[in-house]
Amino acid sequence: MPYTAPGVRVYQQLSTNPTNTEAVLRSWIVGTAIIKHTLDSNRAVLGEYENNVRTYNYPSFTAGNVLDKDSVSVVAENATLRYAEIPAIASPTEDSSEQFVYNVPGTANVLFFNNINVATNGSHTRDAMFGTRDVQIGDTVRLQAYAANIAGATECSDVAFETTVADYVVTMTDDNIGYGIRTTNANNPTATFPSGSAISAAAGSTYTGNFAEDVYTVIVQDSQYKVISASGQDSYPSEFTSLATETAFQVGTCGIKAQLSTLDDAEYIIMIKSSAFAAANPERVMADLYDAATNLTITGTYNPMDYGELSAICTIRVTGKTNTAACKNIELAVTVGTNPATYVQAVRGEGTDWVFPITSNNFQGAFSNDDYDNIAIGDTWAYRLTGAYTPASLTTSGTYSGEVDDTYIIRCEQGGTVGDPSDAPVVSIISAMGEDYMENVSLASTSITTKYGLVLTFSENEMLPGQAYMVQVEASKNGAVHGLLLKDSLPQTLRSAASDALVSLNVELCVAQTVTVPDTFYTLNNEELTITTAPGVTVYNEAFGKSLTLLNGNLVVLYDELSAQGSGAINIVSSTDDLATIPGELSPDNPVKYGVYKALTMSNGADVAWTPVVGESLTAWTEALSAAKGDTNVYMVVPMSQDIDVLSAAIQAVDADSNEEECAWKRCFLSVACPDYVERVGQTTSTDGKPVMATFSGDGTVNITSRVDGKINVDLSSVQPGDSLVVFAGSDKAYTVTSVRGDVISIQETVAENATPQRIAIRHTLTKDEAVKYITDVAGTMRNRRVSLVWPDQVSEGTVTMPGTMLCAAIAGLASGVEPHQSLTNSVITGFDGFTRSSPMFSESQLKQLAANGVLVVRRNRDGSPVVLHGLTTEVDDLNYTEEMVTRNLDQISLELSSGLKQFIGVYNINANTIALVKNYVHDYCEKCIVATSASLGGRLNDYTIVSIDQDILLKDQLTIVLAVSVPYAMNVINLYIQV
């Protein structure tokens, strides 16, 4: 230390005028700064794979940083992975039953796999050695020659040749070709009309149309009728010949005739005076027509009824139709015995009243049936007509050479007679798969050959438009795939000279891929990585359904290092141009850097502070949060974590600075993730901290097997029907719980019996209301006017989803860039475009429920812009505590007064002059705060009063100032009463 000579030194210090200072409410982003080593950036190459034990340092690792062990993985780039190996044998022959591979004699690049199918083809399945994947074109083939010069040896030489698969060599079979034929119009009935209609076919009606099938529609138009054919060949308006006769009339121009019915079936009831006669002579009770109709059928039934003297009713049914032209009006005459006046009381026909008889031998009833009169304009009849012809038949021959099964459709477009050049039909031919197509093909000859060799032969019969044929064909089925065509020719030493001199080859079939090495093959710590590969790394492959052996590849280690650069300090970034000073890439995967970026984009030019967390432990977070202890240069704390313990540490750090001793007031913006489910039963809830195990009975019941002192190690009382029972076995499977009885759980699904204990958990999916309660309960545990709990817990930017901590950083940046007495309510938040965890996840009423319980919600406004619903803290008991702006404004006033008053400490004594000086300073500062910063916000203080400023009676070195202030509040609600 410098030397000071003995003596007396006198310092005279002149006091300076007190100055006002303005505190900056700077946002402070605390989180990990991650440097990622990936295949695309900061590559950490280990070198070529070696099948032995080797220890590596982490390439490119920065001293002082911390390794994130959970991020470490090892990748083998461009690796050769062997999925099958067929060893060479000593004495190969073509008729051998052994499995081996040889070069086909007379070829330079064809391998034959004896008794091995290298791919599935029809009924010929691939060999089991290939797993669930065929040998494919492009696969690597490594060949070694059998060491014939070593007697009795089966060893192979070093790799002699390597190439790739160019194609399959397939054993072809032709025994699976078949045809199926189906044609339309197998029979050809003449035109018919529905029975019971008011129109019927006339005698000699025969369809002579030029279509295989047609539908005629007849429409009544006043005294005319119109005929429309579905085929379009017939449109025939005409007048009815006569409505008073049943003369046949023409329907269209193709031979169809029709006539109108003059009598539908009818029923008449005759009341007889005396039942004795009718009972004795029921056959005498009958109906006749004035002009007897030969084609009518008359039946009668006698039904005695108790009418006193009128004790019998006879029901007569008349069926059939008359062909008598004069019988338009059909009247019924009834004869009962010889005296109708004696026996017939009355007659009633369909739709008529009772008619009483007249005194004549024959009674003439008043009922008449007139079908002509019942025809109305608009009546429509439709008839399906089928051509009366013998269609040309079809036979098939030839060899179909197409590569896929197919169906041919042959359709007649223009009618004619097959084989008649002067009247040949014209057909179109198309295959369902679109492989074959022929149009406007004339059948002047009886046979056609398609593109793929199918021969269609038709008989020399008629073919009408619409006539269709269908031919189903099957492609030739290949036999077993025993051979591979190689891309390159084999060296002469690997070729078979003749069938009796086969060269047996050791064959390795491989694929080239970039794969991740399973972590079972390496160990790691903070300094080094050890690959424990012996006897060799194997990697499971989904395509093959088995593990493949790694033969070679370039090893790269992927890992994250947590940067220590800037640790323990408050680092300032003034603009996005300065982001390069923060380690790592600008990505949501680098929390502190991307958080600072989000804060800057919302800070209106205000700078942003950051401090890295060097590690993932709670201790590392606590150390980082302590960097701002007593520091007034940062105010809004944003921990880039959703871990509850970390958030609790952040709240403790804020509270520790926000008191009269430290005078370094702070606030924090926090994000908590809401889970999709809660675990009712599982390792986290078991009494011994061990996994929960269960067996399946096969009848829908699950039995808990884990025991502690004879009791199950979990409490099942909270389990409810509808919860999910998850079984952790390979891919997790979930089943629906229906009931719980003791330690037996019933599930809805059927699961096979399994007595082997399986690890399970029971989860309850949160309803929307339960999710709201979860979030508000968390807010309740954080009740503090210095804490804002922000929702949603996830946001997105384009296709990238990121945690709600990024939203917290943006809001903190916004709060640092506005006036301290400006509310965040209705402020627009930019930089994000996905807020689905606000809406539609929650309804508007549920979002308001969150706000009512102290959650700062960001949701989309009616115009679609994301806005802050209400700038809140988690303390909801009082407006001064609830409004985030009130605390922020008062904190800045406190920070500035504290900073300004420090100039009086020590160098001033307490006396009347200095008290007046302090009072004037406070007065000047408050007057400055009353001045409006803008017309909409007003001043930071509405009013103030210096209640007192006195020297403490006991503690004479302390000056106590009592300052009463009136602070502004946000205009959150406007009540408008319109009175009339």
Side-chain angles (χ1 to χ4, degrees):
M1 58 182 293
Y3 173 75
T4 302
V8 176
R9 306 178 106 187
V10 177
Y11 295 90
Q12 293 185 342
Q13 293 182 335
L14 300 177
S15 63
T16 59
N17 291 326
T19 58
N20 290 328
T21 62
E22 184 171 346
V24 177
L25 302 183
R26 183 178 289 111
S27 57
W28 181 39
I29 313 301
V30 183
T32 51
I34 299 176
I35 301 173
K36 286 186 170 294
H37 297 271
T38 68
L39 292 176
D40 298 323
S41 63
N42 301 319
R43 289 171 59 87
V45 178
L46 301 178
E48 282 297 315
Y49 165 69
E50 299 175 6
N51 188 9
N52 54 23
V53 178
R54 183 174 175 183
T55 299
Y56 306 85
N57 292 323
Y58 295 99
S60 307
F61 191 86
T62 303
N65 290 353
V66 172
L67 175 72
D68 179 3
K69 291 184 180 180
D70 292 338
S71 70
V72 176
S73 64
V74 178
V75 169
E77 283 187 304
N78 303 317
T80 300
L81 296 154
R82 183 180 65 216
Y83 61 85
E85 181 175 15
I86 301 97
I89 65 172
S91 303
T93 61
E94 285 186 338
D95 58 354
S96 172
S97 61
E98 295 181 84
Q99 289 186 333
F100 64 94
V101 183
Y102 63 89
N103 164 242
V104 175
T107 69
N109 58 343
V110 178
L111 296 182
F112 188 83
F113 289 71
N114 199 62
N115 294 314
I116 301 172
N117 294 342
V118 299
T120 295
N121 197 24
S123 61
H124 306 278
T125 58
R126 79 181 70 82
D127 198 274
M129 72 173 70
F130 304 120
T132 56
R133 175 187 176 275
D134 293 341
V135 178
Q136 293 184 2
I137 295 171
D139 287 355
T140 300
V141 184
R142 293 157 55 102
L143 301 172
Q144 296 170 291
Y146 176 71
N149 58 327
I150 303 175
T154 58
E155 295 86 3
C156 294
S157 63
D158 292 337
V159 174
F161 190 67
E162 182 172 315
T163 183
T164 59
V165 176
D167 204 350
Y168 297 127
V169 178
V170 185
T171 303
M172 303 293 294
T173 61
D174 296 325
D175 53 356
N176 295 312
I177 302 174
Y179 303 103
I181 302 172
R182 187 176 73 202
T183 66
T184 60
N185 302 326
N187 50 55
N188 305 282
T190 59
T192 58
F193 295 85
S195 62
S197 173
I199 188 170
S200 61
S205 180
T206 302
Y207 175 61
T208 61
N210 197 31
F211 274 76
E213 194 171 74
D214 209 344
V215 175
Y216 274 27
T217 302
V218 182
I219 305 173
V220 176
Q221 298 176 323
D222 197 6
S223 62
Q224 290 185 326
Y225 64 93
K226 183 178 182 180
V227 176
I228 301 173
S229 65
S231 67
Q233 74 167 349
D234 225 344
S235 181
Y236 185 83
S238 179
E239 294 187 3
F240 289 108
T241 304
S242 173
L243 291 179
T245 68
E246 288 187 299
T247 303
F249 60 91
Q250 186 173 348
V251 178
T253 61
C254 296
I256 301 302
K257 294 181 180 180
Q259 61 188 25
L260 296 176
S261 303
T262 57
L263 178 65
D264 285 338
D265 299 347
E267 186 172 86
Y268 307 90
I269 300 175
I270 304 170
M271 185 178 292
I272 303 171
K273 287 184 179 181
S274 173
S275 63
F277 178 84
N281 304 280
E283 71 281 356
R284 298 284 302 280
V285 182
M286 57 178 291
D288 289 323
L289 296 177
Y290 276 95
D291 279 329
T294 59
N295 66 338
L296 289 178
T297 301
I298 303 173
T299 59
T301 58
Y302 171 71
N303 301 301
M305 300 183 67
D306 187 10
Y307 285 93
E309 290 186 0
L310 308 176
S311 58
I313 291 180
C314 184
T315 303
I316 296 176
R317 185 77 183 168
V318 182
T319 59
K321 297 178 176 62
T322 180
N323 60 3
T324 303
C327 292
K328 174 185 175 185
N329 294 307
I330 304 168
E331 297 174 331
L332 182 68
V334 179
T335 301
V336 181
T338 58
N339 190 347
T342 303
Y343 298 105
V344 178
Q345 177 69 21
V347 178
R348 185 176 73 178
E350 289 184 359
T352 68
D353 296 328
W354 287 99
V355 177
F356 295 92
I358 57 175
T359 56
S360 65
N361 194 42
N362 287 324
F363 169 71
Q364 179 178 332
F367 174 77
S368 67
N369 184 21
D370 186 354
D371 277 339
Y372 293 135
D373 292 341
N374 290 335
I375 295 175
I377 295 174
D379 284 353
T380 303
W381 303 283
Y383 307 112
R384 182 173 295 278
L385 310 172
T386 308
Y389 72 102
T390 301
S393 61
L394 169 66
T395 57
T396 60
S397 58
T399 300
Y400 172 66
S401 60
E403 296 182 355
V404 295
D405 294 351
D406 211 338
T407 299
Y408 280 84
I409 305 295
I410 302 96
R411 179 179 175 84
C412 179
E413 306 296 346
Q414 177 181 313
T417 302
V418 176
D420 184 351
S422 64
D423 186 31
V426 176
V427 299
S428 62
I429 303 172
I430 187 170
S431 69
M433 300 298 291
E435 297 291 325
D436 208 345
Y437 180 73
M438 303 171 72
E439 60 180 347
N440 298 324
V441 179
S442 174
L443 293 182
S445 62
T446 57
S447 294
I448 308 169
T449 301
T450 69
K451 172 183 176 181
Y452 291 114
L454 176 65
V455 179
L456 306 172
T457 303
F458 298 90
S459 63
E460 293 182 343
N461 291 96
E462 190 177 5
M463 190 180 290
L464 296 183
Q467 177 69 38
Y469 304 82
M470 181 179 75
V471 180
Q472 295 174 328
V473 294
E474 294 182 4
S476 299
K477 297 298 187 295
N478 293 329
V481 185
H482 288 304
L484 293 178
L485 180 68
L486 303 180
K487 179 182 177 182
D488 303 300
S489 297
L490 298 173
Q492 195 65 44
T493 54
L494 299 182
R495 298 185 190 180
S496 299
S499 60
D500 59 349
L502 301 179
V503 175
S504 176
L505 301 173
N506 190 89
V507 177
E508 292 178 292
L509 293 168
C510 312
V511 290
Q513 294 178 349
T514 294
V515 295
T516 300
V517 176
D519 58 11
T520 53
F521 291 98
Y522 58 82
T523 58
L524 55 91
N525 55 38
N526 284 334
E527 289 78 30
E528 55 190 20
L529 171 76
T530 301
I531 307 290
T532 55
T533 59
V537 170
T538 58
V539 181
Y540 184 80
N541 187 289
E542 290 284 350
F544 291 91
K546 65 175 187 175
S547 292
L548 312 186
T549 301
L550 177 64
L551 300 180
N552 58 52
N554 183 43
L555 296 182
V556 180
V557 59
L558 315 181
Y559 69 95
D560 295 345
E561 53 179 308
L562 309 182
S563 175
Q565 179 181 330
S567 60
I570 304 299
N571 308 284
I572 306 297
V573 172
S574 299
S575 70
T576 54
D577 294 336
D578 300 331
L579 287 172
T581 61
I582 305 176
E585 296 181 352
L586 181 60
S587 162
D589 293 332
N590 189 7
V592 74
K593 189 166 188 172
Y594 210 73
V596 170
Y597 165 69
K598 284 300 181 184
L600 282 171
T601 57
M602 291 295 297
S603 69
N604 197 27
D607 52 23
V608 177
W610 66 277
T611 297
V613 178
V614 189
E616 292 288 355
S617 67
L618 182 60
T619 299
W621 278 94
T622 303
E623 290 177 354
L625 290 166
S626 67
K629 175 66 175 175
D631 196 326
T632 59
N633 288 312
V634 295
Y635 175 69
M636 279 165 287
V637 184
V638 182
M640 302 301 287
S641 171
Q642 292 179 317
D643 183 271
I644 292 294
D645 291 336
V646 171
L647 304 186
S648 296
I651 295 173
Q652 291 175 9
V654 167
D655 285 342
D657 266 357
S658 303
N659 55 64
E660 66 280 0
E661 295 293 335
E662 294 295 336
C663 295
W665 295 273
K666 292 179 175 62
R667 295 195 68 257
C668 57
F669 290 89
L670 310 179
S671 174
V672 173
C674 178
D676 294 328
Y677 63 85
V678 293
E679 192 166 88
R680 299 195 192 278
V681 172
Q683 186 169 358
T684 58
T685 64
S686 63
T687 56
D688 58 354
K690 294 181 179 179
V692 180
M693 311 297 288
T695 61
F696 290 82
S697 300
D699 58 356
T701 59
V702 184
N703 305 285
I704 302 296
T705 62
S706 304
R707 293 285 190 274
V708 177
D709 299 329
K711 299 180 180 179
I712 62 173
N713 67 342
V714 292
D715 180 6
L716 300 179
S717 61
S718 64
V719 179
Q720 299 176 3
D723 289 348
S724 294
L725 184 145
V726 180
V727 181
F728 303 100
S731 57
D732 299 346
K733 295 184 178 179
Y735 306 98
T736 304
V737 175
T738 55
S739 65
V740 178
R741 300 180 306 279
D743 56 355
V744 178
I745 302 166
S746 295
I747 57 176
Q748 181 175 327
E749 296 79 6
T750 300
V751 181
E753 180 178 356
N754 189 349
T756 302
Q758 307 288 310
R759 186 166 71 91
I760 68 157
I762 299 178
R763 297 169 176 173
H764 171 70
T765 300
L766 296 180
T767 66
K768 302 303 182 187
D769 287 338
E770 287 172 337
V772 169
K773 184 178 185 304
Y774 178 91
I775 301 163
T776 56
D777 285 349
V778 172
T781 63
M782 298 178 174
R783 184 159 291 184
N784 190 321
R785 72 187 181 96
R786 301 194 170 278
V787 176
S788 287
L789 181 61
V790 176
W791 185 263
D793 60 347
Q794 286 181 6
V795 288
S796 62
E797 184 178 2
T799 59
V800 179
T801 299
M802 59 193 76
T805 52
M806 297 299 176
L807 181 60
C808 291
I811 295 174
L814 172 66
S816 70
V818 299
E819 294 287 349
H821 59 306
Q822 180 174 339
S823 172
L824 298 182
T825 300
N826 270 341
S827 295
V828 176
I829 305 298
T830 60
F832 307 98
D833 48 29
F835 291 86
T836 56
R837 296 279 287 179
S838 283
S839 176
M841 178 172 175
F842 293 132
S843 65
E844 189 69 13
S845 62
Q846 288 171 328
L847 292 176
K848 289 179 179 177
Q849 185 179 349
L850 289 175
N853 286 273
V855 179
L856 192 154
V857 174
V858 179
R859 57 100 163 95
R860 290 200 178 277
N861 210 346
R862 290 183 178 179
D863 63 1
S865 57
V867 298
V868 176
L869 176 62
H870 193 171
L872 296 168
T873 73
T874 56
E875 179 57 79
V876 294
D877 289 339
D878 183 272
L879 183 63
N880 284 333
Y881 297 96
T882 299
E883 289 290 326
E884 179 273 342
M885 174 265 286
V886 173
T887 296
R888 177 160 38 95
N889 185 31
L890 194 58
D891 280 352
Q892 187 176 43
I893 291 172
S894 300
L895 285 167
E896 291 178 354
L897 280 172
S898 172
S899 177
L901 290 171
K902 283 181 180 179
Q903 62 189 307
F904 296 103
I905 300 301
V907 296
Y908 287 78
N909 291 334
I910 300 177
N911 55 51
N913 289 332
T914 57
I915 289 175
L917 192 61
V918 170
K919 183 176 182 179
N920 287 337
Y921 172 79
V922 174
H923 171 76
D924 290 344
Y925 176 81
C926 291
E927 285 294 323
K928 173 186 173 184
C929 290
I930 289 177
V931 176
T933 59
S934 69
S936 60
L937 295 178
R940 292 161 60 192
L941 290 177
N942 293 331
D943 199 3
Y944 73 96
T945 301
I946 300 176
V947 178
S948 62
I949 177 168
D950 299 299
Q951 184 177 19
D952 192 277
I953 297 175
L954 297 177
L955 304 174
K956 299 297 185 177
D957 61 344
Q958 293 187 12
L959 184 67
T960 301
I961 308 169
V962 178
L963 176 65
V965 298
S966 171
V967 296
Y969 296 97
M971 187 182 298
N972 291 328
V973 179
I974 298 176
N975 296 311
L976 173 63
Y977 297 89
I978 300 177
Q979 297 180 345
V980 180

